[in-house]
Amino acid sequence: MTEAVVSLISISLLLIISQLGPGPDLFYVVRTSLAQGFRAACAVVTGITIGITIQLCIVCAAGRWLLEQEWSRWLLWAAAGWFLYLAWKIMPRHFRAAEEIQQEATAREPLLHLLRQGFLCNILNPKCTLFICGLCLAPLQAFGDAYSWFEPALVLSMALAGQVGWMLWSGLLQWPLLRRLYARYSAWVDLVFALLLALMAVLLVWQPGF
Protein backbone atom coordinates (compact mmCIF):
# COMPACT_ATOMS: atom_id res chain seq x y z
CA MET A 1 0.00 0.00 0.00
CA THR A 2 2.89 2.34 0.76
CA GLU A 3 4.22 1.88 -2.76
CA ALA A 4 0.83 2.81 -4.21
CA VAL A 5 0.68 6.02 -2.16
CA VAL A 6 4.25 6.94 -3.14
CA SER A 7 3.29 6.31 -6.76
CA LEU A 8 0.36 8.75 -6.48
CA ILE A 9 2.56 11.43 -4.94
CA SER A 10 5.26 10.96 -7.58
CA ILE A 11 2.79 11.14 -10.46
CA SER A 12 1.18 14.30 -9.04
CA LEU A 13 4.57 16.03 -8.67
CA LEU A 14 5.53 15.04 -12.20
CA LEU A 15 2.29 16.55 -13.48
CA ILE A 16 3.00 19.89 -11.76
CA ILE A 17 6.55 20.00 -13.14
CA SER A 18 5.39 19.00 -16.62
CA GLN A 19 3.06 22.01 -16.75
CA LEU A 20 6.12 24.15 -17.50
CA GLY A 21 6.77 22.19 -20.70
CA PRO A 22 5.74 23.84 -23.99
CA GLY A 23 2.16 23.10 -24.92
CA PRO A 24 -1.19 24.76 -25.69
CA ASP A 25 -2.29 24.66 -22.03
CA LEU A 26 0.86 26.49 -20.94
CA PHE A 27 0.64 29.09 -23.69
CA TYR A 28 -3.01 29.86 -23.00
CA VAL A 29 -2.61 30.02 -19.21
CA VAL A 30 0.48 32.23 -19.41
CA ARG A 31 -1.05 34.59 -21.92
CA THR A 32 -4.34 34.88 -19.98
CA SER A 33 -2.51 35.36 -16.70
CA LEU A 34 -0.34 38.16 -18.08
CA ALA A 35 -3.08 39.85 -20.07
CA GLN A 36 -6.07 39.54 -17.71
CA GLY A 37 -4.71 38.65 -14.27
CA PHE A 38 -4.86 35.83 -11.75
CA ARG A 39 -8.64 35.48 -11.52
CA ALA A 40 -9.04 35.06 -15.28
CA ALA A 41 -6.16 32.56 -15.34
CA CYS A 42 -7.86 30.55 -12.57
CA ALA A 43 -10.99 30.27 -14.72
CA VAL A 44 -8.90 28.89 -17.61
CA VAL A 45 -7.08 26.58 -15.18
CA THR A 46 -10.37 25.22 -13.85
CA GLY A 47 -11.47 24.40 -17.39
CA ILE A 48 -8.15 22.65 -18.00
CA THR A 49 -8.57 20.66 -14.78
CA ILE A 50 -12.03 19.51 -15.87
CA GLY A 51 -10.49 18.37 -19.15
CA ILE A 52 -7.68 16.54 -17.34
CA THR A 53 -10.21 14.81 -15.07
CA ILE A 54 -12.24 13.58 -18.03
CA GLN A 55 -9.10 12.36 -19.81
CA LEU A 56 -7.97 10.58 -16.64
CA CYS A 57 -11.31 8.78 -16.42
CA ILE A 58 -11.01 7.77 -20.07
CA VAL A 59 -7.45 6.49 -19.58
CA CYS A 60 -8.48 4.53 -16.49
CA ALA A 61 -11.42 2.99 -18.32
CA ALA A 62 -10.04 2.46 -21.82
CA GLY A 63 -6.27 2.87 -21.70
CA ARG A 64 -4.40 2.06 -24.89
CA TRP A 65 -7.53 0.84 -26.69
CA LEU A 66 -8.64 4.41 -27.45
CA LEU A 67 -5.40 5.38 -29.14
CA GLU A 68 -5.35 2.23 -31.30
CA GLN A 69 -8.71 2.93 -32.98
CA GLU A 70 -8.83 3.93 -36.64
CA TRP A 71 -11.06 6.94 -35.91
CA SER A 72 -8.57 8.38 -33.41
CA ARG A 73 -7.02 10.33 -36.31
CA TRP A 74 -10.06 12.63 -36.23
CA LEU A 75 -9.10 13.62 -32.71
CA LEU A 76 -5.85 14.95 -34.14
CA TRP A 77 -7.65 16.95 -36.82
CA ALA A 78 -10.08 18.39 -34.27
CA ALA A 79 -7.19 19.35 -32.00
CA ALA A 80 -5.30 20.95 -34.89
CA GLY A 81 -8.34 23.03 -35.79
CA TRP A 82 -8.72 24.22 -32.22
CA PHE A 83 -5.05 25.16 -31.94
CA LEU A 84 -5.34 27.19 -35.14
CA TYR A 85 -8.37 28.97 -33.68
CA LEU A 86 -6.45 29.83 -30.52
CA ALA A 87 -3.52 31.03 -32.64
CA TRP A 88 -5.85 33.29 -34.63
CA LYS A 89 -7.40 34.62 -31.41
CA ILE A 90 -4.05 35.39 -29.78
CA MET A 91 -2.37 36.74 -32.93
CA PRO A 92 -1.83 40.49 -32.45
CA ARG A 93 -3.75 42.60 -34.95
CA HIS A 94 -1.32 45.48 -34.58
CA PHE A 95 1.45 46.63 -32.26
CA ARG A 96 -0.17 48.56 -29.46
CA ALA A 97 0.99 51.05 -26.85
CA ALA A 98 1.22 50.02 -23.19
CA GLU A 99 -1.75 52.26 -22.36
CA GLU A 100 -3.95 50.43 -24.84
CA ILE A 101 -2.88 47.08 -23.39
CA GLN A 102 -3.87 48.32 -19.94
CA GLN A 103 -7.27 49.48 -21.20
CA GLU A 104 -7.87 46.09 -22.81
CA ALA A 105 -6.96 44.31 -19.57
CA THR A 106 -9.78 46.12 -17.75
CA ALA A 107 -12.31 44.69 -20.24
CA ARG A 108 -11.86 41.09 -19.16
CA GLU A 109 -13.56 38.13 -20.81
CA PRO A 110 -16.38 36.47 -18.80
CA LEU A 111 -15.02 33.82 -16.44
CA LEU A 112 -17.41 31.16 -17.75
CA HIS A 113 -16.17 31.83 -21.28
CA LEU A 114 -12.55 31.50 -20.12
CA LEU A 115 -13.38 28.26 -18.30
CA ARG A 116 -14.92 26.84 -21.48
CA GLN A 117 -11.90 27.92 -23.50
CA GLY A 118 -9.53 26.24 -21.05
CA PHE A 119 -11.59 23.05 -21.10
CA LEU A 120 -11.58 22.85 -24.90
CA CYS A 121 -7.88 23.69 -25.03
CA ASN A 122 -7.14 20.66 -22.87
CA ILE A 123 -9.74 18.12 -23.96
CA LEU A 124 -8.84 18.60 -27.64
CA ASN A 125 -5.14 18.06 -26.95
CA PRO A 126 -4.31 14.42 -27.81
CA LYS A 127 -0.75 14.97 -26.59
CA CYS A 128 -2.22 15.43 -23.11
CA THR A 129 -3.97 12.07 -23.45
CA LEU A 130 -0.71 10.45 -24.50
CA PHE A 131 1.10 12.07 -21.59
CA ILE A 132 -1.52 10.88 -19.11
CA CYS A 133 -1.28 7.39 -20.57
CA GLY A 134 2.48 7.48 -20.11
CA LEU A 135 2.13 8.55 -16.49
CA CYS A 136 -0.77 6.37 -15.44
CA LEU A 137 -0.88 3.08 -17.34
CA ALA A 138 2.04 1.46 -15.51
CA PRO A 139 0.80 2.40 -11.99
CA LEU A 140 -2.72 1.32 -12.95
CA GLN A 141 -1.39 -2.04 -14.05
CA ALA A 142 0.67 -2.39 -10.88
CA PHE A 143 -1.84 -1.23 -8.27
CA GLY A 144 -5.27 -0.97 -9.92
CA ASP A 145 -6.25 -4.58 -9.35
CA ALA A 146 -4.70 -4.80 -5.89
CA TYR A 147 -6.38 -1.71 -4.43
CA SER A 148 -9.94 -0.77 -5.32
CA TRP A 149 -9.32 2.82 -4.15
CA PHE A 150 -6.34 3.38 -6.43
CA GLU A 151 -8.16 4.47 -9.61
CA PRO A 152 -10.41 7.11 -7.98
CA ALA A 153 -7.46 8.28 -5.85
CA LEU A 154 -5.36 8.63 -9.00
CA VAL A 155 -8.01 10.75 -10.72
CA LEU A 156 -8.53 12.92 -7.64
CA SER A 157 -4.83 13.43 -6.87
CA MET A 158 -3.89 14.33 -10.45
CA ALA A 159 -6.87 16.68 -10.87
CA LEU A 160 -5.94 18.42 -7.62
CA ALA A 161 -2.27 18.59 -8.60
CA GLY A 162 -3.20 20.05 -11.99
CA GLN A 163 -5.39 22.75 -10.44
CA VAL A 164 -2.90 23.68 -7.70
CA GLY A 165 0.08 23.62 -10.07
CA TRP A 166 -1.51 25.88 -12.67
CA MET A 167 -2.71 28.30 -9.99
CA LEU A 168 0.82 28.39 -8.56
CA TRP A 169 2.39 29.25 -11.92
CA SER A 170 -0.38 31.79 -12.65
CA GLY A 171 0.25 33.47 -9.31
CA LEU A 172 3.97 33.75 -10.00
CA LEU A 173 3.17 35.44 -13.31
CA GLN A 174 1.55 38.31 -11.40
CA TRP A 175 5.04 39.54 -10.47
CA PRO A 176 4.92 43.27 -11.38
CA LEU A 177 8.11 43.14 -13.45
CA LEU A 178 6.70 40.40 -15.69
CA ARG A 179 3.45 42.27 -16.14
CA ARG A 180 5.31 45.47 -17.05
CA LEU A 181 7.41 43.59 -19.58
CA TYR A 182 4.28 42.04 -21.08
CA ALA A 183 2.62 45.46 -21.35
CA ARG A 184 5.69 46.71 -23.21
CA TYR A 185 6.23 43.71 -25.50
CA SER A 186 2.74 42.16 -25.57
CA ALA A 187 2.45 42.08 -29.35
CA TRP A 188 5.71 40.16 -29.69
CA VAL A 189 4.79 37.75 -26.86
CA ASP A 190 1.34 37.10 -28.36
CA LEU A 191 2.90 36.64 -31.80
CA VAL A 192 5.29 33.98 -30.46
CA PHE A 193 2.46 32.15 -28.67
CA ALA A 194 0.25 32.27 -31.76
CA LEU A 195 3.02 30.93 -34.03
CA LEU A 196 3.83 28.12 -31.59
CA LEU A 197 0.17 27.08 -31.46
CA ALA A 198 -0.04 27.12 -35.26
CA LEU A 199 3.15 25.01 -35.43
CA MET A 200 1.61 22.48 -33.03
CA ALA A 201 -1.47 22.27 -35.24
CA VAL A 202 0.72 21.46 -38.25
CA LEU A 203 2.72 18.85 -36.34
CA LEU A 204 -0.46 17.16 -35.09
CA VAL A 205 -1.72 16.38 -38.59
CA TRP A 206 1.67 15.98 -40.28
CA GLN A 207 2.41 12.53 -38.91
CA PRO A 208 3.24 9.26 -40.69
CA GLY A 209 0.20 7.15 -41.35
CA PHE A 210 -2.37 9.97 -41.09
Side-chain angles (χ1 to χ4, degrees):
M1 181 173 177
T2 303
E3 292 181 353
V5 174
V6 171
S7 176
L8 289 177
I9 295 173
S10 301
I11 292 172
S12 298
L13 290 175
L14 281 172
L15 177 62
I16 292 175
I17 295 172
S18 72
Q19 289 171 336
L20 293 177
D25 289 354
L26 175 71
F27 299 150
Y28 200 52
V29 170
V30 169
R31 199 269 179 179
T32 303
S33 182
L34 289 172
Q36 301 189 48
F38 181 70
R39 190 181 179 196
C42 286
V44 172
V45 166
T46 301
I48 290 174
T49 300
I50 294 172
I52 288 176
T53 304
I54 292 174
Q55 296 204 57
L56 280 164
C57 292
I58 292 173
V59 169
C60 287
R64 290 193 179 95
W65 176 85
L66 177 65
L67 301 175
E68 293 172 352
Q69 302 309 302
E70 178 68 19
W71 46 263
S72 65
R73 72 182 64 183
W74 297 107
L75 296 177
L76 300 180
W77 284 95
W82 179 251
F83 292 172
L84 287 174
Y85 167 75
L86 287 179
W88 172 83
K89 183 176 180 180
I90 292 174
M91 182 73 70
R93 301 301 185 265
H94 59 283
F95 286 77
R96 302 163 293 175
E99 293 78 8
E100 188 177 348
I101 301 297
Q102 187 63 35
Q103 291 175 1
E104 183 184 86
T106 60
R108 304 181 189 278
E109 296 178 82
L111 296 182
L112 184 60
H113 173 73
L114 290 169
L115 185 148
R116 184 170 61 250
Q117 297 278 76
F119 168 74
L120 290 173
C121 184
N122 178 268
I123 203 69
L124 290 175
N125 182 6
K127 300 296 185 183
C128 181
T129 306
L130 290 171
F131 178 74
I132 291 175
C133 284
L135 278 182
C136 299
L137 286 179
L140 281 171
Q141 187 175 6
F143 305 113
D145 293 334
Y147 305 107
S148 59
W149 53 265
F150 187 80
E151 287 190 11
L154 177 64
V155 173
L156 180 62
S157 62
M158 288 195 69
L160 182 61
Q163 182 77 14
V164 171
W166 280 124
M167 289 178 66
L168 171 64
W169 306 133
S170 298
L172 292 175
L173 288 169
Q174 303 312 302
W175 188 29
L177 175 60
L178 290 178
R179 295 187 65 79
R180 286 197 299 269
L181 288 173
Y182 176 75
R184 180 177 298 178
Y185 302 109
S186 64
W188 292 107
V189 174
D190 290 353
L191 178 62
V192 170
F193 285 168
L195 291 177
L196 287 171
L197 285 168
L199 177 61
M200 287 184 174
V202 173
L203 293 177
L204 274 178
V205 298
W206 193 12
Q207 298 188 40
F210 285 102

